[in-house]
Amino acid sequence: MNKYQPAIKQGIIMGAVSILLFLVLYAIDPMFYAKPMGWVTVFVVNFLALPIVFMILGTRNTKPNFTPFRFQEAFISAFLTSVLATVVMLVFNFIFITVIDTTWEKELGEEIIRSTETFMEDMGDPQEAIDEAMIKAKVDVEKRAMGVMGQLKSALGGLGWYLILALIIGAIQKDKKEEDLLV
């Protein structure tokens, strides 16, 4: 596991950066993530920018520890980075929703419904379509797992996405040497 220390370090840094970003946005507007701009920010930052940057860094920094750097090592280093970041964020999220702001998840769900309704009205959707969407949204919010189980479910979904990214990054970062292709 010593050979993967750079990936471990990048995973911890990725988790810390994610937490810091969340806290800054939360301090500015606790309901930021319920708004369309919040959705876009979460997608671009948490599912694209941060994981890609830190998984590449973790893989690139691990590469000197292996000769040749095969797909297996490249994949493990990328995925290990994301797993550690997920664990760091999961621990923080547990603390956040059980100690720091125990009502945030519920309030966020309610704000998502209001934000969606406003968005649909601004787009000029007919009232009948808005009413139907609001009923569906309320049912979805009520069904959504919250608390610790909700966080675990979300983390597992994130790991699925990170697995795909790790496969891509591993394929790109592996050595292209002829002997690597024969192994």
Side-chain angles (χ1 to χ4, degrees), residues 9 24 33 47 53 55-56 64 66 76 91 121 148 154 172:
K9 178 182 175 186
V24 167
Y33 293 104
F47 290 102
V53 167
M55 290 167 81
I56 288 172
F66 294 93
I76 289 171
V91 168
E121 288 170 350
V148 173
S154 177
I172 293 169

Side-chain angles (χ1 to χ4, degrees), residues 72-114:
Q72 175 183 347
E73 289 89 13
F75 166 75
I76 289 171
S77 61
F79 194 57
L80 183 60
T81 299
S82 64
V83 168
L84 284 167
T86 300
V87 169
V88 168
M89 291 183 294
L90 195 55
V91 168
F92 168 78
N93 289 345
F94 287 159
I95 294 167
F96 183 80
I97 63 171
T98 59
V99 177
I100 298 171
D101 191 344
T102 58
T103 62
W104 182 74
E105 277 187 306
K106 185 175 189 295
E107 292 169 0
L108 187 68
E110 293 166 358
E111 185 62 30
I112 288 171
I113 291 170
R114 284 191 293 274

Side-chain angles (χ1 to χ4, degrees), residues 9-156:
K9 178 182 175 186
Q10 292 303 320
I12 292 168
I13 293 170
M14 179 180 152
V17 168
S18 295
I19 291 167
L20 184 62
L21 180 64
F22 171 81
L23 288 173
V24 167
L25 292 174
Y26 176 82
I28 293 169
D29 179 5
M31 293 297 119
F32 176 76
Y33 293 104
K35 299 171 183 158
M37 189 57 170
W39 304 338
V40 171
T41 301
V42 165
F43 178 75
V44 171
V45 173
N46 291 353
F47 290 102
L48 292 175
L50 287 179
I52 290 171
V53 167
F54 283 99
M55 290 167 81
I56 288 172
L57 287 173
T59 304
R60 187 195 68 190
N61 295 346
T62 301
K63 192 173 192 170
N65 297 336
F66 294 93
T67 306
F69 193 55
R70 297 175 309 189
F71 172 76
Q72 175 183 347
E73 289 89 13
F75 166 75
I76 289 171
S77 61
F79 194 57
L80 183 60
T81 299
S82 64
V83 168
L84 284 167
T86 300
V87 169
V88 168
M89 291 183 294
L90 195 55
V91 168
F92 168 78
N93 289 345
F94 287 159
I95 294 167
F96 183 80
I97 63 171
T98 59
V99 177
I100 298 171
D101 191 344
T102 58
T103 62
W104 182 74
E105 277 187 306
K106 185 175 189 295
E107 292 169 0
L108 187 68
E110 293 166 358
E111 185 62 30
I112 288 171
I113 291 170
R114 284 191 293 274
S115 179
T116 302
E117 184 173 21
T118 301
F119 180 76
M120 291 179 76
E121 288 170 350
D122 292 347
M123 295 301 292
D125 287 343
Q127 189 61 45
E128 184 177 295
I130 294 172
D131 292 342
E132 189 176 308
M134 291 305 98
I135 290 169
K136 184 181 179 319
K138 288 176 185 174
V139 169
D140 289 347
V141 166
E142 289 172 9
K143 283 183 181 178
R144 191 179 84 214
M146 295 177 91
V148 173
M149 288 309 295
Q151 293 301 316
L152 283 172
K153 186 177 176 183
S154 177
L156 289 175

